[in-house]
Amino acid sequence: MKPLVVALAKGRLSDSAMELLCRAGVVPDDLASAIKKRSRRLIFESRERGIGFFMAKPSDVPTYVEYGAADIGIAGKDALLESGRNLYEMLDLGFGSCRMIVAGREASRELVARGNNFRVATKYPRIALDYFVRRKQQSVEIIKLGGSVELAPIVGLSDVIVDIVETGGTLRENGLVVLEEIAPISARMVVNRASMKIEHARIVELIKMIKAVLGKNECDE
Ligand code: PRP
C-alpha cells in the first residue's frame, strides 16, 4: 500500500506537530525520536503505519500539498494565506497561535487607518496586498523582505510592517506597536484535493485520531 505522505513545516511548529502526531498514534515513538534528533535527513517513513513524512520550509508546505507530492500538510495559517494555494483546510491544530498584524510607530496610526501611498515592509506581500488593497481599498507600496522586518520602520525603509506577533516582545523592544489586526494564526492541517477523494477513508481515519487527542467532536469543524 502506498504510504500517506505528510509534509511538515520545519522550525517553530515542528516540535508541537510531532508531539501531536505521536499522541494521536499516527507516528510511532522511534520514528519521532529519529525526527527530533534534527539530523540532515529530510524523509522518514513508517512502513507498519503506512505513513511517510518530510520536513520542508514552512512557505513550501502548501506547494508540496497542492501538487500532490504530499497528501497532507501541517503548516501555519500565515504560510497558507500567503501561498494562495488551492487546498482543503481540515483542522485547526490549536498550537502555534499568534496574530497577523500591521505594526509601526504610534504616530503612523492615522496614516494606516485612512491614508494612502505609504510603504509596507513584510515577508507576506500577498497578505499585505489583500488587506490594504482589497479589504481596505488603500493604495500602498509593498516592500518584500526576508526577515527581521521590525527594522524597516526604524531605519526609514517603510512606514509600517505586516508581520506575525506572538509575545509582542520584538515590537516592544523596538518601540513599535500593533496598529491593526489582520487575522488570527495557528497551525492547520491541509489536504490535497485529489488525495481527499482517492485516500478518503485513510485520511478521515487520521483526522479522527488527531481530533480525539485535540478533544474535538466530529461536528466541531
Ligand atoms: C517572527 C516575526 C517577528 C517575531 C514575533 O520572526 O516575524 O519578528 O517572530 O515574535 P514575538 O512577538 O514573540 O516577539 P522570526 O523569529 O520567525 O524571525 P525572522 O524575523 O527572521 O523571520
Side-chain angles (χ1 to χ4, degrees):
M1 187 169 53
K2 181 185 158 293
L4 272 185
V5 178
V6 184
L8 288 174
K10 279 197 279 200
R12 58 168 78 206
L13 298 180
S14 63
D15 284 351
S16 309
M18 201 40 69
E19 196 193 315
L20 175 68
L21 294 174
C22 283
R23 275 197 294 136
V26 174
V27 177
D29 290 343
D30 55 332
L31 192 68
S33 49
I35 297 171
K36 274 200 177 146
K37 278 192 189 131
R38 304 201 181 285
S39 67
R40 302 296 291 174
R41 205 169 126 196
L42 295 170
I43 301 181
F44 303 85
E45 193 177 328
S46 167
R47 279 176 199 281
E48 107 232 21
R49 309 235 176 145
I51 197 146
F53 297 90
F54 64 80
M55 313 290 280
K57 226 179 126 168
S59 56
D60 291 339
V61 168
T63 310
Y64 283 106
V65 178
E66 188 186 68
Y67 281 87
D71 303 290
I72 294 166
I74 294 181
K77 181 71 178 174
D78 53 332
L80 300 176
L81 286 173
E82 184 59 26
S83 76
R85 297 279 178 193
N86 189 7
L87 311 165
Y88 288 126
E89 188 179 311
M90 301 302 296
L91 270 180
D92 184 340
L93 300 174
F95 56 84
S97 296
C98 53
R99 298 175 294 150
M100 183 65 65
I101 49 93
V102 183
R105 296 191 196 281
E106 185 56 49
S108 302
R109 192 176 289 279
E110 191 52 33
L111 178 69
V112 171
R114 273 167 282 278
N116 277 298
N117 304 323
F118 53 90
R119 287 179 164 181
V120 182
T122 185
K123 289 184 283 186
Y124 303 96
R126 178 190 279 262
I127 295 173
L129 202 69
D130 182 71
Y131 179 70
F132 285 113
V133 177
R134 200 180 61 79
R135 269 164 69 182
K136 291 189 72 201
Q137 308 198 327
Q138 288 167 299
S139 120
V140 295
E141 183 180 350
I142 309 282
I143 303 171
K144 165 104 179 15
L145 290 178
S148 303
V149 290
E150 291 83 357
L151 254 179
I154 298 170
V155 300
L157 175 66
S158 71
D159 298 290
V160 292
I161 61 173
V162 163
D163 200 10
I164 52 169
V165 61
E166 192 179 352
T167 63
T170 315
L171 291 182
R172 257 194 313 278
E173 283 195 32
N174 292 288
L176 304 173
V177 293
V178 173
L179 299 170
E180 295 184 359
E181 304 271 343
I182 300 180
I185 301 292
S186 57
R188 309 290 162 98
M189 181 179 149
V190 289
V191 176
N192 170 274
R193 298 182 82 87
S195 304
M196 197 61 209
K197 293 198 184 77
I198 300 161
E199 300 288 356
H200 190 260
R202 290 164 82 196
I203 291 173
V204 165
E205 179 57 30
L206 190 136
I207 290 172
K208 216 191 256 177
M209 289 162 83
I210 294 175
K211 274 188 171 172
V213 298
L214 290 176
K216 287 186 195 252
N217 299 320
E218 282 309 291
C219 52
D220 280 354
E221 305 245 351

